[in-house]
Amino acid sequence: MNLMEEMHWRGLIQDIMPGTIEQLNKEMTSAYIGFDPTADSLHIGSLVPILLLVHLQKAGHKPLALVGGATGMVGDPSGKSEERNLLSEDVLQHNVQCVKKQLEKFLDFDATKPNAAEMVNNYDWFKDMSFLQFIRDIGKYITVNYMMAKDSVKKRLENETGMSFTEFTYQLVQGYDFYWLYIHKNCKLQMGGSDQWGNIVTGTEIIRKKAGGEAYAFTCPLITKADGGKFGKTEKGNVWLDPQKTSPYQFYQFWLNASDEDATKWIKIFTLLPKETIENLLQEHEKAPHERILQKKLAESLTIFVHSKADYEFAVQASEILFNNETAVILESLNEQQLLQVLEGVPTIHIAKSQIESGYELLRFLTETNVFPSKGEARKMWQSGGIRINKKKIENDCIQITQKHLLQNKYLLVQKGKKNYYLVIVTD
């Protein structure tokens, strides 16, 4: 398969401008995607554009990753129902540096190669441009009628809050990015999500009218979830690429918990696995969906791609802790950071260190921390073998909880039955 055949097979093409395939088949082509620096980390919604650049470079073309230091100051109205808060220049510059660092992990920036990736920041060419220069040199090429016909504009104008002039001009600003890259970097292709189609086409219009050139574009579908939920969101918010914001363990769990329907689509979109491998996985999954083969491979591929093999191996090991009662040794081997990753979301209980210094009788501990409503219920559960401390079954209901039971001198994991867990945190 050539590049575009593979993109179609993976479900990564929605709209495509005539001549795009011919351009890519003709010569090494420079192509760009813009990344929005409104946060100091990208999230998994950015993985599709990242992977588009990865596929492009693997096929011998030159990827340009544009970090929007200037457009981040304006705010893209595409797909938005209201205007977002504008960030200060200092915050934006910090975010730009963080996003750049993340992108460098996925693309080959070796300058000795003809198709080496490049990072560009549109603040570099906008910072010295005056408003009068912009409307004189760029604004005259695009009519108001043309701009108002865009879906992103029409939807906002129908909204009660309307659209500010700042956001209305966004498509001109993005269009000029494409023009600048066409002139200075010989960039002939822009890619992006389907909600960017109007902005991208504006860029090709400016290139055609101002430079007399030909430029091309394609977009990919916006990723959705089978249950109607927003992709990349959990109850706790975005799933980030920064391990400090979303731990590798939680990142792994997101993909592992994908539905069968989503995993069937996502295995093509989000991994670099070859077609034959993916088709074999799909067949194996269909025969034994309960084994969750697709989800496991998806979680493996993405965790290694975004984080590391060591993070993946830890995530697999850690995943067993809450689902396998033979994991006491693993639990005890974790450092504090790993322990808190694994137990993120487990209900927490705080007790004072003084309560366990001389020993805290088990049944009293279990009732006074409200793990059980009464000693009678706690004793009944203990007698049936349903109480574990740090994954070890409690054999004696007269046991004293002491400091020797603490993990990292601070934590206790209490298990009640098969699925109920409590993280007890001991404070001074």
Side-chain angles (χ1 to χ4, degrees), residues 311-327:
D311 285 319
Y312 159 69
E313 289 169 350
F314 165 72
V316 173
Q317 186 183 56
S319 296
E320 289 293 304
I321 287 173
L322 296 184
F323 305 105
N324 183 343
N325 281 327
E326 306 305 317
T327 51

Side-chain angles (χ1 to χ4, degrees), residues 154-224:
K154 284 195 291 188
K155 287 176 183 174
R156 285 290 296 279
L157 291 178
E158 291 166 1
N159 190 310
E160 288 181 10
T161 56
M163 172 185 272
S164 70
F165 178 74
T166 302
E167 286 199 330
F168 182 60
T169 60
Y170 185 90
Q171 62 176 289
L172 287 181
V173 175
Q174 184 174 326
Y176 182 74
D177 286 342
F178 200 175
Y179 169 80
W180 192 95
L181 292 171
Y182 177 86
I183 296 297
H184 296 275
K185 299 288 184 181
N186 193 32
C187 178
K188 295 182 179 178
L189 172 65
Q190 185 180 354
M191 305 174 289
S194 59
D195 60 339
Q196 292 293 311
W197 181 251
N199 295 336
I200 294 172
V201 171
T202 297
T204 64
E205 275 293 288
I206 294 172
I207 289 167
R208 183 177 66 82
K209 291 181 176 179
K210 185 170 171 61
E214 288 281 347
Y216 306 94
F218 74 83
T219 62
C220 56
L222 297 180
I223 306 300
T224 57

Side-chain angles (χ1 to χ4, degrees), residues 391-408:
K391 303 301 291 184
K392 293 178 180 176
K393 188 183 289 187
I394 298 301
E395 304 292 352
N396 184 346
D397 69 342
C398 295
I399 188 174
Q400 299 281 310
I401 302 296
T402 65
Q403 284 182 275
K404 72 176 184 181
H405 291 99
L406 297 184
L407 300 167
Q408 298 296 317

Side-chain angles (χ1 to χ4, degrees), residues 218-359:
F218 74 83
T219 62
C220 56
L222 297 180
I223 306 300
T224 57
K225 288 177 70 178
D227 64 6
K230 190 168 183 180
F231 172 75
K233 292 276 190 183
T234 67
E235 291 177 1
K236 295 180 180 128
N238 286 325
V239 178
W240 300 96
L241 304 191
D242 183 340
Q244 300 303 313
K245 289 177 174 287
T246 299
S247 71
Y249 171 74
Q250 294 297 331
F251 183 89
Y252 171 84
Q253 287 293 321
F254 173 83
W255 301 104
L256 191 65
N257 291 323
S259 69
D260 287 349
E261 189 175 342
D262 285 334
T264 300
K265 290 190 301 182
W266 294 353
I267 196 77
K268 294 181 181 180
I269 293 171
F270 289 105
T271 76
L272 297 171
L273 297 170
K275 182 179 180 181
E276 184 180 353
T277 301
I278 289 175
E279 288 180 340
N280 287 338
L281 285 168
L282 290 169
Q283 288 175 6
E284 287 179 42
H285 181 80
E286 195 171 342
K287 292 175 186 173
H290 62 282
E291 293 183 9
R292 301 182 67 75
I293 293 167
L294 284 182
Q295 287 89 339
K296 289 175 182 176
K297 180 54 75 172
L298 187 66
E300 175 189 349
S301 298
L302 268 295
T303 306
I304 292 173
F305 180 67
V306 172
H307 296 293
S308 69
K309 188 170 184 182
D311 285 319
Y312 159 69
E313 289 169 350
F314 165 72
V316 173
Q317 186 183 56
S319 296
E320 289 293 304
I321 287 173
L322 296 184
F323 305 105
N324 183 343
N325 281 327
E326 306 305 317
T327 51
V329 174
I330 297 173
L331 188 69
E332 290 169 355
S333 71
L334 303 182
N335 61 39
E336 184 173 12
Q337 183 183 22
Q338 293 172 330
L339 183 69
L340 293 177
Q341 280 187 44
V342 175
L343 302 181
E344 186 178 343
V346 172
T348 57
I349 298 166
H350 292 264
I351 64 171
K353 195 172 187 179
S354 59
Q355 291 177 270
I356 65 167
E357 283 179 336
S358 58

